[in-house]
Amino acid sequence: MAGSGEEGLYSRQLYVLGGGARRLAGAAVLVSGLRGTGAQVAAALVLAGTGRVVLHDRDAACTADRAHQFLLEDSDVGRNRAEASQRALTELNPRVAVAAHIGELSEDFLASFQVVVLTESSLEEQLRIGDFCHAQGICFIVADAKGLAGQLFCDFGERFVVDDPAEGDLVCAAVQHISQGNPGVVTCMGAEDSHGHLFCDGDLVTFSGVEGMMELNSREPVPVRVLDAFRLEIGDTSSFSPYSRGGLVSQLRLPQVHSYEPLRRALAEPKIRVASHEELPRSHSLHAAFQALHAFRGEQGRLPRPRALADAERVLELARSLGAQQGPLDEDIVRAFASVSAGNLCPVAAIVGALAAQEVLKAITRKFLPLDQWLYFDALECLALEGATRLTEEDCAPTGSRYDGQIAVFGATFQEQLGRQNYLVVGAGAIGCELLKNFAMMGLAAGPGGDLTVTDMDTVALSNLHRQLLYRSADISKPKSVVAAAAVWRMNPSVRVTAHQNQVGPASEPLYGDDFFRRLDGVVSALDTLEARAYLESRCRRCLTPLLDSGTEGLRGNVLAMVPPLTKPLGPAGAPGDGTFPLCTLRYFPRTIQHTLQRPGFPRAAAGGEGPGGPGASAGQPVGAATGLAGLRALGPPALAEPLPRCHRPAAAHLPPGAREPGTPPCPLPSASHPFPLCRLPHHSHGDGVPRPDSALPLCQETSPGVPFWAGDRSCPHPLTFNPDNDAHLEYILAAAHLFAQAHKVPPCSDRAAAQTILRSVVLPPFAPQEGLQISLAEEQEEAQVPADCRRLAELTQDLVQRREELVGGEEAQVPPMEPIHFEKDNNIHVDFITAASNLRAENYGIPPADWLTSKRIAGRIVPAIITTTAAVAGLACLEVYKLVWGCQDLSCYRNSNLCLSDCLLLRVQPLPPPTYRYGGREWSCWDRLEMRAVGADGQEMTVQDVLDWLQRTHGWTVTMLLRGHTLLYDREEDEETRARQRVQRLSENLEAAGEPRQRELELLYVCEGEDAEAEDNRPPLLCSLP
């Protein structure tokens, strides 16, 4: 039934990693090197619940570490990095055993680990340990970040088994027909959301529930060939029985075995992962550059000095002499890399560390294909920024501050500019926490005039802790923004951070108005609803404020940059399927577990999850809709066949020993004399108000002569006979009883054996089909039934109130009132009931049941999430912040990023330029607007006539209509008297008359004489500043 406490904590991660995630608790991982990259790897593994994480570092923390190593405090400077980091990581997840090791990495020591990660090792140490790990079958990873570039290498041995190589749920489709032939052709039913199956050529599939051609049900997995969106070839079916009806075709993934080269061999013959073939020469040049950097360090005993031309040239000479590159060497890349390789940037460490941590999780869980074998990342486009190109060695010399690693790349003047920034972070969830952590390390808003505002209306929940770095178990139920701001201040007391608990939306415009947005240097969003994202974008568009939008789902993430006036606005996001299905499908003809989990009357979580974008599932519908029992009657898949019986208090003798404590209210379970209404399980498949269709349409029913009704996408349900020894039946009863007890505020009974004893004595009346039942076959008919369902629910609610009054009589003080039970996706009891009810109805229709976690994800509309993706996405967003701080006006320097960690793919592309259009004889950008100061010579607010005259005088346009939103200010088609009255009114008079609040700036719409049809939605807006 309910998930364990571990599942409650790690549920979002379990949806990403699958069953292999349970291996994490028994794994041991060594992380060597505890600077920025190593800290990110270690933190991700600890948050993910890895059993034992050992930290290794032989050096002491220095002041400059504080700009990229977020686990350290000021008091840790001078202490060993590993020992200093151990405390913070232990607090991050007390379930993980975190240890520190400051000695040599001997072979005896290394042999105890399943995975070894090196982040700050010399090439000689990498080769020595890599050879040992390869020989011993220990997964070996090298992750290194230098300046604006990063390197990742994986060697998982000569025979590494991947249990589940792909991302996402297994594909499944309902069968409509299967031909007899060679090859046989399977015709699948269209799905509501995709209008076709999702199989690919070569997928292995199995069949179940097929009637007629039953040979397929026991057949070994067969590969398919896709013919079109609805048809698959499956091999020879010519000797099989003719297909009759029903069946599911399901994808099967088989384990894969992969082999990897040791580091020593892979250096000379690198296999490099790239998003496109065009990136390969750049990655080969970086491969040579990293080897040359190792050689330079071995030769000089140090890294190249920042912006020192001689040092950069020496690294280039070594790269040429090594001959390690394949193809021509891009010398500009090597020089640029070497010139800032002494730098340490928190965003780059976050990206490389997150990618490395995900490879560790692949090694442990054996879920997803590991990296094969090299990956290179760089953001060297940052060096092309105006101002950055003119930096000298003196500009980037260390100053003894915590930001020296950042100054080495961008210079001291830029660091001061970072401190003066004013930024808004909307959302303090998983991405928001990583953004705020990076901002604290970077020193954003840590100087005079700087300000960092974070707003989130949500509170910390248990399920947040495995991926939201700034929160601890003691913070549960506290406001996220307040806790996050305090954590930022602890990381960097110089940051001026302000916490708000507001939703950024129309209701908060008095607080977050135009003046607020115009004062900002940028906005970074980490929202989880499309509506909130669209609103925030509209505010930034209006005020010409740069916006960086980030999002993740599982192992996929993206960052979009909107930089006025350089880039295209974000625009409407592709709306994902809302997960809803036609009502007639849900009510009468379910064919997937999604249908049974979203049947009419079932509670639904809100589309969003956590964050300020909107209420989450905790604010969803009551489980009992209006009141506990009435809602349960509407919810149950098992039927409540007769009206609610009058309830009487059962005597203690009717309950088994131990069923309740003396002096407590009776346990809400049935007894021989007190049948609990919800135990009326299954003589049929629907409850009151959700009729059983086969009673009106028997299996032999035909839509026309020779054409069966129950065929194609319609499966005929079969009844279930209640059996208290059937686990599925008993789990439904226990879950429903628990909810019933909660509604009545009495202790639930958790004695499974006692419940079975009681239920065995319950005699259920035979099922009687509902008379006059009509099945709606059209969606329109079913939607018309919704108001009647609502009326029925209201009647049940009123009936319940009356029954309560009869029951309590004069005992009002002794009987607590029933209370509605609001569905909460992270409440195990609620999910117990939803899972049990859904699976019983699935059994009615021959649909494979879903496990508890899958049911929770579907019913709660939970978006899979994991710390590695959020950390990488936040790092990518912060790289764009550097460019905004520079005031970069070169579109070619900005990047939109798309990330897929399951395939270890990172695609960064230049944003599109803004669209243009023609109006009034000239070309306009979507960012252009007309601005006028609507103040007359007398200092008073202008009239409508003044605006008309200004447009005529300035642009030569004759206005025929002027509007503010839906409020008409002027219309040339009106009569003369009305036009005269409109022209002399001041702008705010019209708005106040329409009941709109006075504003300092108005955006007006206009229609001009001679416009063509194409200009209807393409004209520059008119912004009028009022006195």
Side-chain angles (χ1 to χ4, degrees):
M1 293 179 72
S4 66
E6 296 292 299
E7 288 176 340
L9 175 62
Y10 300 115
S11 62
R12 277 54 168 179
Q13 176 178 281
L14 286 171
Y15 296 131
V16 179
L17 299 177
R22 292 176 174 84
R23 296 190 179 111
L24 285 169
V29 180
L30 171 68
V31 180
S32 177
L34 265 295
R35 304 188 78 187
T37 304
Q40 186 68 63
V41 174
L45 296 180
V46 169
L47 285 170
T50 307
R52 186 166 70 101
V53 177
V54 177
L55 315 175
H56 171 258
D57 200 307
R58 281 173 285 187
D59 294 329
C62 62
T63 301
D65 289 335
R66 298 282 286 121
H68 53 90
Q69 220 284 27
F70 54 90
L71 300 173
L72 301 176
E73 297 181 354
D74 285 336
S75 59
D76 292 322
V77 173
R79 295 183 60 202
N80 177 272
R81 288 195 194 102
E83 293 177 334
S85 302
Q86 180 184 5
R87 172 195 49 78
L89 289 171
T90 300
E91 292 176 357
L92 197 57
N93 189 348
R95 296 167 177 81
V96 175
V98 182
H101 176 73
I102 60 175
E104 295 293 327
L105 296 180
S106 65
E107 293 184 355
D108 288 342
F109 177 74
L110 294 170
S112 63
F113 298 100
Q114 284 79 55
V115 188
V116 171
V117 184
L118 304 183
T119 68
E120 290 290 333
S121 299
S122 65
L123 182 58
E124 292 73 18
E125 186 171 58
Q126 292 175 8
L127 291 170
R128 176 181 68 84
I129 295 177
D131 288 342
F132 174 79
C133 290
H134 187 85
Q136 298 298 315
I138 299 170
C139 295
F140 176 67
I141 297 173
V142 173
D144 204 359
K146 292 290 185 287
L148 284 163
Q151 174 192 61
L152 184 62
F153 170 78
C154 292
D155 168 19
F156 287 7
E158 295 182 358
R159 185 178 173 81
F160 182 79
V161 178
V162 182
D163 292 337
D164 188 354
E167 185 180 9
D169 295 332
L170 293 171
V171 177
C172 181
V175 175
Q176 187 169 23
H177 185 263
I178 306 174
S179 69
Q180 287 177 295
N182 187 11
V185 175
V186 179
T187 303
C188 302
M189 297 177 201
E192 291 86 353
D193 53 352
S194 65
H195 305 290
H197 66 73
L198 298 175
F199 293 102
C200 298
D201 282 337
D203 280 349
L204 291 175
V205 301
T206 59
F207 291 84
S208 61
V210 175
E211 297 182 32
M213 195 177 286
M214 298 183 65
E215 296 90 339
L216 284 175
N217 293 331
S218 57
R219 192 179 184 187
E220 291 296 315
V222 296
V224 301
R225 188 170 80 87
V226 175
L227 297 179
D228 56 35
F230 295 92
R231 297 183 305 149
L232 307 167
E233 281 186 358
I234 59 167
D236 188 1
T237 60
S238 57
S239 62
F240 293 171
S241 306
Y243 173 79
S244 175
R245 64 169 62 88
L248 290 173
V249 53
S250 304
Q251 181 189 23
L252 179 69
R253 295 184 190 139
L254 297 179
Q256 298 180 7
V257 179
H258 292 264
S259 178
Y260 300 88
E261 299 289 348
L263 176 62
R264 193 176 300 276
R265 195 177 307 154
L267 275 172
E269 301 174 2
K271 290 189 288 184
I272 301 178
R273 186 78 163 114
V274 290
S276 65
H277 185 72
E278 291 74 19
E279 295 181 11
L280 197 55
R282 187 181 190 93
S283 292
H284 277 300
S285 295
L286 287 170
H287 184 72
F290 268 92
Q291 290 185 69
L293 189 65
H294 280 295
F296 180 93
R297 194 168 193 171
E299 177 183 279
Q300 304 289 331
R302 60 174 174 82
L303 290 171
R305 290 185 297 272
R307 305 283 177 164
L309 298 180
D311 285 357
E313 288 299 323
R314 178 55 184 158
V315 172
L316 179 58
E317 290 175 11
L318 291 169
R320 292 194 193 109
S321 65
L322 286 170
Q325 75 281 357
Q326 295 181 349
L329 185 70
D330 189 325
E331 297 188 355
D332 289 338
I333 288 177
V334 177
R335 286 193 190 94
F337 165 78
S339 69
V340 295
S341 58
N344 288 289
L345 301 179
C346 181
V348 176
I351 297 165
V352 176
L355 267 63
Q358 186 59 52
E359 296 305 307
V360 175
L361 297 179
K362 291 179 185 179
I364 298 170
T365 65
R366 299 182 180 267
K367 170 76 171 174
F368 308 120
L369 293 177
L371 171 64
D372 187 23
Q373 287 190 264
W374 293 95
L375 177 75
Y376 286 92
F377 163 81
D378 78 88
L380 294 174
E381 74 276 359
C382 292
L383 300 182
L385 301 173
E386 185 178 357
T389 57
R390 298 192 297 269
L391 290 173
T392 65
E393 187 174 349
E394 291 73 23
D395 296 326
C396 301
T399 64
S401 80
R402 66 181 291 163
Y403 306 115
D404 277 352
Q406 199 161 248
I407 290 172
V409 179
F410 296 117
T413 301
F414 175 80
Q415 189 60 50
E416 295 174 2
Q417 197 169 341
L418 263 173
R420 293 192 293 267
Q421 296 298 297
N422 283 268
Y423 264 74
L424 170 67
V425 177
V426 186
I431 299 175
C433 281
E434 291 294 322
L435 288 168
L436 291 168
K437 175 259 291 180
N438 291 346
F439 289 162
M441 297 295 98
M442 293 160 59
L444 188 78
D451 184 71
L452 178 60
T453 301
V454 54
T455 185
D456 194 310
M457 58 190 294
D458 204 359
T459 56
V460 179
L462 174 66
S463 61
N464 301 150
L465 301 184
H466 80 92
R467 69 192 187 281
Q468 299 184 13
L469 180 75
L470 303 183
Y471 308 134
R472 307 291 183 266
S473 57
D475 299 322
I476 291 175
S477 299
K478 295 180 182 178
K480 284 186 174 181
S481 60
V482 174
V483 177
V488 168
W489 187 84
R490 287 193 299 272
M491 288 181 174
N492 189 344
S494 298
V495 175
R496 292 166 168 80
V497 57
T498 305
H500 291 180
Q501 299 173 51
N502 306 308
Q503 180 179 0
V504 179
S508 61
E509 284 188 12
L511 179 61
Y512 307 120
D514 290 349
D515 289 343
F516 175 86
F517 274 92
R518 288 199 175 101
R519 286 197 300 269
L520 295 173
D521 295 297
V523 176
V524 187
S525 72
L527 293 165
D528 53 15
T529 70
L530 296 179
E531 295 81 2
R533 175 186 181 273
Y535 174 81
L536 186 60
E537 187 215 352
S538 70
R539 300 295 295 141
C540 291
R541 286 186 66 176
R542 175 182 172 88
C543 299
L544 300 181
T545 305
L547 170 65
L548 298 174
D549 180 70
S550 306
T552 68
E553 181 177 0
L555 293 177
R556 298 175 182 269
N558 73 313
V559 177
L560 300 176
M562 187 181 81
V563 186
L566 298 180
T567 70
K568 177 183 177 181
L570 300 184
D578 62 2
T580 59
F581 303 97
L583 286 175
C584 57
T585 298
L586 301 179
R587 230 182 245 271
Y588 308 117
F589 312 119
R591 58 181 186 270
T592 69
I593 199 67
Q594 286 82 359
H595 296 158
T596 66
L597 280 163
Q598 193 187 316
R599 61 168 301 186
F602 261 24
R604 294 295 300 173
E610 59 217 357
S618 58
Q621 302 176 9
V623 168
T627 51
L629 185 55
L632 291 177
R633 289 167 56 84
L635 286 172
L640 305 172
E642 64 258 349
L644 178 70
R646 293 181 180 272
C647 298
H648 302 282
R649 295 189 179 211
H654 292 147
L655 294 172
R660 66 182 177 96
E661 295 294 330
T664 63
C667 173
L669 276 172
S671 71
S673 64
H674 175 241
F676 177 52
L678 285 172
C679 75
R680 284 299 330 278
L681 247 131
H683 279 51
H684 52 101
S685 58
H686 294 272
D688 293 351
V690 188
R692 175 177 159 188
D694 66 315
S695 62
L697 298 166
L699 185 60
C700 60
Q701 182 80 22
E702 295 182 344
T703 56
S704 59
V707 180
F709 176 84
W710 295 106
D713 59 356
R714 300 176 188 145
S715 296
C716 184
H718 62 276
L720 308 178
T721 300
F722 175 56
N723 178 3
D725 296 315
N726 183 305
D727 286 342
H729 297 187
L730 182 61
E731 285 172 4
Y732 172 77
I733 289 291
L734 293 175
H738 201 133
L739 291 179
F740 192 52
Q742 183 179 342
H744 282 280
K745 300 181 180 177
V746 297
C749 178
S750 57
D751 190 331
R752 191 181 184 93
Q756 283 181 306
T757 300
I758 295 174
L759 290 170
R760 289 190 186 105
S761 65
V762 174
V763 178
L764 299 177
F767 166 72
Q770 182 177 341
E771 295 183 4
L773 173 65
Q774 293 185 350
I775 303 298
S776 303
L777 303 182
E779 179 66 6
E780 294 77 10
Q781 294 174 310
E782 190 62 26
E783 289 178 350
Q785 179 66 23
V786 171
D789 290 344
C790 294
R791 288 193 298 272
R792 176 60 177 151
L793 180 60
E795 292 170 1
L796 286 170
T797 304
Q798 183 60 35
D799 180 61
L800 187 63
V801 172
Q802 293 174 357
R803 297 294 174 92
R804 170 183 165 76
E805 292 175 354
E806 297 172 9
L807 173 67
V808 300
E811 302 180 53
E812 187 68 32
Q814 287 74 35
V815 181
M818 292 177 66
E819 64 179 20
I821 304 171
H822 293 270
F823 175 62
E824 166 55 56
K825 62 180 179 288
D826 287 317
N827 184 302
N828 289 347
I829 300 303
H830 296 184
V831 179
D832 284 347
F833 176 77
I834 296 295
T835 302
S838 168
N839 284 341
L840 286 175
R841 191 160 191 255
E843 188 178 352
N844 286 137
Y845 282 86
I847 299 168
D851 61 30
W852 190 89
L853 274 172
T854 300
S855 300
K856 175 177 177 176
R857 174 175 61 83
I858 296 171
R861 295 189 180 184
I862 294 174
V863 177
I866 193 167
I867 178 61
T868 50
T869 315
T870 54
V873 162
L876 292 165
C878 290
L879 288 175
E880 303 309 304
V881 170
Y882 284 137
K883 302 163 189 178
L884 292 176
V885 174
W886 272 110
C888 175
Q889 293 300 306
D890 183 353
L891 179 64
S892 66
C893 290
Y894 289 96
R895 296 290 183 271
N896 288 339
S897 299
N898 285 281
L899 181 72
C900 181
L901 292 186
S902 61
D903 295 322
C904 208
L905 278 178
L906 174 58
L907 179 64
R908 303 175 71 232
V909 297
Q910 177 182 310
L912 294 174
T916 59
Y917 59 92
R918 292 196 65 80
Y919 183 82
R922 58 162 285 192
E923 187 172 76
W924 302 83
S925 160
C926 68
W927 294 109
D928 290 331
R929 68 270 314 280
L930 310 178
E931 297 181 350
M932 68 172 292
R933 188 167 182 268
V935 182
D938 58 356
Q940 298 298 308
E941 179 183 308
M942 281 187 176
T943 63
V944 169
Q945 183 64 58
D946 293 329
V947 175
L948 302 180
D949 292 343
W950 184 86
L951 286 169
Q952 177 69 52
R953 183 174 62 254
T954 307
H955 296 282
W957 299 340
T958 300
V959 176
T960 61
M961 187 178 292
L962 188 67
L963 307 96
R964 196 277 184 179
H966 297 292
T967 302
L968 180 66
L969 303 182
Y970 172 75
D971 186 357
R972 196 172 67 174
E973 298 300 318
E974 295 285 355
D975 58 72
E976 179 58 36
E977 180 180 352
T978 301
R979 294 201 309 272
R981 186 172 62 253
Q982 289 174 336
R983 286 194 294 262
V984 299
Q985 284 189 334
R986 301 191 185 276
L987 299 178
S988 61
E989 292 179 38
N990 292 278
L991 299 176
E992 291 165 2
E996 298 186 36
R998 178 179 173 82
Q999 299 180 20
R1000 294 185 59 186
E1001 183 177 89
L1002 304 179
E1003 181 174 336
L1004 304 183
L1005 304 177
Y1006 52 88
V1007 179
C1008 294
E1009 192 177 74
E1011 283 188 1
D1012 53 31
E1014 294 182 358
E1016 181 176 350
D1017 296 319
N1018 291 315
R1019 60 175 67 86
L1022 172 61
L1023 301 183
C1024 299
S1025 300
L1026 303 182

